Amino acid sequence: MANETIQVQGMSCQHCVSSVEGAVGGLDGVDTVNVHLQEGKVDVAFDEGKVKLDDITEAIEDQGYDVV
């Protein structure tokens, strides 16, 4: 299991949190997703054999946010 913290810009409200958690949490192989709105960070635990970090960042960007 891999753990990554991703810097994300553009999140400003609870809807943003729900969008990111839903998009990333829906990926096969993602175990946990925790969005820290004030810090602009997303903590993700995932199985590298099922999902790649690039897939996770793409899911975030598809919601309209910028991964730094």
Side-chain angles (χ1 to χ4, degrees), residues 22-40:
V24 175
L27 296 173
D28 184 39
V30 172
D31 186 44
T32 60
V33 182
N34 293 305
V35 175
H36 305 281
L37 189 60
Q38 299 295 345
E39 295 88 9

Side-chain angles (χ1 to χ4, degrees), residues 5-24 33-44 56-57 59-68:
T5 298
I6 303 167
Q7 292 288 125
V8 180
Q9 292 180 334
M11 298 185 299
S12 60
C13 63
Q14 195 58 42
H15 174 74
C16 300
V17 172
S18 297
S19 294
V20 171
E21 287 181 346
V24 175
V33 182
N34 293 305
V35 175
H36 305 281
L37 189 60
Q38 299 295 345
E39 295 88 9
K41 295 180 182 178
V42 178
D43 293 329
V44 186
I56 294 168
T57 58
I60 294 169
E61 290 173 339
D62 285 350
Q63 296 302 307
Y65 308 105
D66 296 318
V67 174
V68 188

